[in-house]
Each structure stands twice: as structure tokens, then as C-alpha cells.
Amino acid sequence: GEAKAIGVSNYQIPHLEEISQFSTVSPHVNQILYNPLVANAQEGLVSYCKEQKIHMTAYTSLGNSSPNRLLNSFPLHNIAKKHNKSTASILLRWATQQGFSVIPKSLDTDHIRQNIKLDFKLKKSEMNKMSNLFQI
């Protein structure tokens, strides 16, 4: 049969435009690296996907370097403390509050529970602070 929906990973705007020339099915989701460290670099792609109604899924939402600049960030820790949440939880909420789905990896049962329980809302000022925290 024919594909009725497709998802892509790490597609940039030229890739998405190219696929539209050869396929009658547009991508429904684009999975990209997205966290406050790279948010500004991905701004154009995020805007394009919103305009084209392509859902975004964020991977590496919690960062991946050692030492982890996101999980060890004092300003992020302070925001988390205000909400009585972990730094990981506010990073996931930051992405989901922008309309992203997230796919955090964890083998720890407590962390998995925390990753699911995003039942709070960040203030606009907190969202902006997180988005611009690592701007160069």
C-alpha cells in the first residue's frame, strides 16, 4: 500500500522542500535535536515546520555532554526549585510548552515517572530566560 503519513529525522528546510517536490505525502513529524543550547540555531526550522503544520519531536532535550551544561545550569536549577521540580522536568516542560513532543531516555524508574509528570506551566519570563540562556 501507499504511505499515508511519514515522519523524518533531522530534516532541514531544504530537505523538507525537496521531499514536497517528489511526494504527495508531506511529513507529519520532524524529529530534531532541540534544547536551550540549540534553540536559537533551530529557530528558522521550527518556524517553517509550524507554518507547514509539521509536528516537531525533540531529542536530546536534557543535553548530552559531560559535564552536562543543561542539567548543571544554576539558572535552570533555580527555575526548577521554584516549581519544586527537577531541572530535567523543566527542560522537558520548556519543549512541550512550545508544542514539541519529547523522547527522553531513562532506565531509572523515578526519572521515568518525573519525565511523565509535566503537570505544571512555566511563566513566559521563565520560557524566555531558558530560550536565551545560552545565546552567544
Side-chain angles (χ1 to χ4, degrees), residues 62 103-115:
L62 307 180
I103 48 175
K105 178 186 174 186
S106 182
L107 300 175
D108 182 289
T109 307
D110 289 333
H111 290 165
I112 293 169
R113 282 191 191 103
Q114 288 176 15
N115 291 346

Side-chain angles (χ1 to χ4, degrees), residues 13-81:
I13 295 171
H15 303 119
L16 294 167
E17 289 174 341
E18 182 180 10
I19 201 170
S20 69
Q21 295 174 3
F22 299 101
S23 176
T24 57
V25 180
S26 297
H28 285 211
V29 65
N30 188 10
Q31 180 181 315
I32 64 166
L33 169 67
Y34 193 72
N35 61 50
L37 291 170
V38 299
N40 290 315
Q42 296 283 40
E43 194 174 314
L45 176 61
V46 171
S47 294
Y48 179 87
C49 286
K50 284 181 181 179
E51 289 168 12
Q52 300 299 314
K53 298 184 178 10
I54 300 171
H55 178 74
M56 305 292 286
T57 297
Y59 68 83
T60 316
S61 301
L62 307 180
N64 66 355
S65 59
S66 183
N68 189 307
R69 289 177 58 199
L70 293 172
L71 294 178
N72 295 321
S73 165
F74 188 70
L76 295 181
H77 177 72
N78 283 339
I79 293 170
K81 209 163 139 181

Side-chain angles (χ1 to χ4, degrees), residues 67-107:
N68 189 307
R69 289 177 58 199
L70 293 172
L71 294 178
N72 295 321
S73 165
F74 188 70
L76 295 181
H77 177 72
N78 283 339
I79 293 170
K81 209 163 139 181
K82 288 178 188 173
H83 292 275
N84 198 29
K85 298 289 182 180
S86 68
T87 304
S89 291
I90 66 148
L91 285 164
L92 296 175
R93 183 63 188 155
W94 173 82
T96 60
Q97 205 163 305
Q98 293 177 66
F100 280 73
S101 52
V102 292
I103 48 175
K105 178 186 174 186
S106 182
L107 300 175

Side-chain angles (χ1 to χ4, degrees), residues 98-136:
Q98 293 177 66
F100 280 73
S101 52
V102 292
I103 48 175
K105 178 186 174 186
S106 182
L107 300 175
D108 182 289
T109 307
D110 289 333
H111 290 165
I112 293 169
R113 282 191 191 103
Q114 288 176 15
N115 291 346
I116 292 169
K117 196 168 181 176
L118 302 176
D119 58 346
F120 64 100
K121 189 169 181 174
L122 295 166
K123 294 177 188 174
K124 188 175 183 175
S125 60
E126 294 169 327
M127 292 288 291
N128 289 337
K129 184 174 189 172
M130 292 175 70
S131 295
N132 296 307
L133 191 60
F134 299 98
Q135 196 171 21
I136 297 174

